[in-house]
């Protein structure tokens, strides 16, 4: 995938702007998180440290902590405002006594493509609906592989190419109105290319329905999900363009409702033992015979 398409600063601004009220607009993210958590029922792993990439306000923390109570949780996000909004404030008496934060996840403001963590320092990397906000998923996937210990697990979800297809079709002005979304098979290839073993990919289509066009746009804005592509319109969209798009979207109404399609891609992969040294020499392992 070519670089230079996503406005990284705009992504940060979008999510920082909605940080204080994000809990009222992240219902779709939380639903995908719930479905991801269900997939952990089939995973045999007891991680000591979990890294949540793109954690926003920490909506995945409670589910992960309940499932893995002994694990240390680290949340990383590009938006300091999101991280701050997710912290539970302590009462004055708690601050005076220095209590109330023990066991709270560590929150880091950083870039997913440049993780401030040591190699092999996490047993699981969790990433819910982050990758489509990146210009190129490969550096972030490579960093996830680096920080995972051997035998560690990457669990991810992201959005596929059919996402918001109705919105793209409604506008015919030559500008981008949604993010670029990678194909499921391309993501699988990326995982292999970054050194992951046995990637498993699947997808499902979730269709939300709305009474009207403006309600759909309001939900996208509340979730910080407005387009952050460099090819978006940077000035105001004119009244004629809005009315044309609204009329085109109305033509997609089914059973009295307007659809908004989301193609959700799920994936998981493991970090296997390396087969080569960093300088390219093959690693040959000899298993010692069992005694008795």
């Amino acid at each position: 995938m070519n670089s230079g398409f996503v406005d990284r600063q705009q992504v940060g601004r979008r999510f920082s702007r909605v940080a204080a009220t994000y809990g009222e607009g992240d219902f779709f993210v939380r639903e995908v998180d719930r479905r991801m958590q269900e997939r952990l029922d089939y995973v045999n792993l007891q991680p000591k440290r979990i890294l949540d990439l793109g954690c926003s306000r920490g909506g995945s923390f409670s589910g992960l902590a309940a499932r893995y109570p002994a694990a240390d949780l680290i949340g990383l996000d590009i938006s300091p405002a999101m991280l701050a909004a997710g912290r539970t404030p302590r009462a004055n008496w708690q601050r005076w006594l220095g209590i109330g934060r023990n066991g709270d996840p560590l929150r880091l403001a950083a870039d997913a493509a440049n993780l401030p963590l040591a190699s092999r320092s996490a047993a699981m990397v969790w990433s819910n609906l982050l990758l489509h906000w990146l210009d190129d998923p490969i550096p972030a996937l490579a960093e996830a592989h680096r920080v995972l210990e051997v035998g560690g697990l990457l669990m991810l979800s992201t959005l596929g190419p059919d996402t918001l297809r109705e919105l793209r079709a409604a506008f015919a002005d030559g500008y981008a109105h949604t993010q670029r979304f990678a194909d499921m098979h391309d993501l699988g290839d990326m995982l292999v290319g970054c050194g992951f073993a046995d990637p498993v990919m699947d997808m499902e289509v979730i269709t939300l329905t709305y009474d009207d066009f403006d309600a759909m746009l309001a939900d996208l804005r509340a979730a910080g999900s407005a387009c952050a592509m460099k090819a978006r319109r940077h000035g105001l969209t004119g009244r004629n363009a809005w009315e044309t798009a609204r009329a085109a979207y109305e033509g997609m109404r089914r059973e009295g409702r307007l659809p908004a399609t989301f193609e959700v891609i799920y994936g998981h992969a493991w970090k296997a033992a390396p087969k080569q040294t960093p300088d390219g020499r093959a690693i040959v392992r000899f298993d010692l015979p069992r005694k008795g």
Side-chain angles (χ1 to χ4, degrees), residues 4-60:
F5 293 100
V6 177
D7 186 338
R8 182 178 177 276
Q9 291 184 335
Q10 181 69 358
V11 173
R13 284 193 295 265
R14 294 276 191 203
F15 283 102
S16 294
R17 194 173 298 152
V18 301
T21 57
Y22 189 63
E24 302 167 12
D26 69 341
F27 63 91
F28 181 78
V29 178
R30 298 279 57 81
E31 175 59 23
V32 175
D33 174 77
R34 184 188 67 79
R35 299 183 187 206
M36 280 181 71
Q37 299 259 1
E38 288 180 348
R39 284 165 163 76
L40 290 175
D41 291 343
Y42 308 99
V43 172
N44 183 20
L45 186 69
Q46 289 300 318
K48 293 182 179 179
R49 178 176 290 164
I50 301 171
L51 170 63
D52 184 349
L53 279 183
C55 67
S56 63
R57 296 192 354 167
S60 297

Side-chain angles (χ1 to χ4, degrees), residues 24 37 77 117 124 129 132 136 156 187 252 287 291:
E24 302 167 12
Q37 299 259 1
D77 200 89
L117 298 172
M124 179 190 291
L129 296 179
H132 55 278
D136 183 355
L156 66 86
L187 285 168
M252 305 176 204
D287 294 329
K291 295 183 180 180

Side-chain angles (χ1 to χ4, degrees), residues 15 20-21 28 37 43 55 59 63 69 71 115 138 175 177 182 193-194 202 213 233 237 258 267 279:
F15 283 102
T21 57
F28 181 78
Q37 299 259 1
V43 172
C55 67
L115 299 178
I138 290 176
Y175 292 96
H177 292 276
C194 290
D202 66 292
F213 183 66
R233 184 189 289 272
T237 301
L258 295 180
D279 61 3

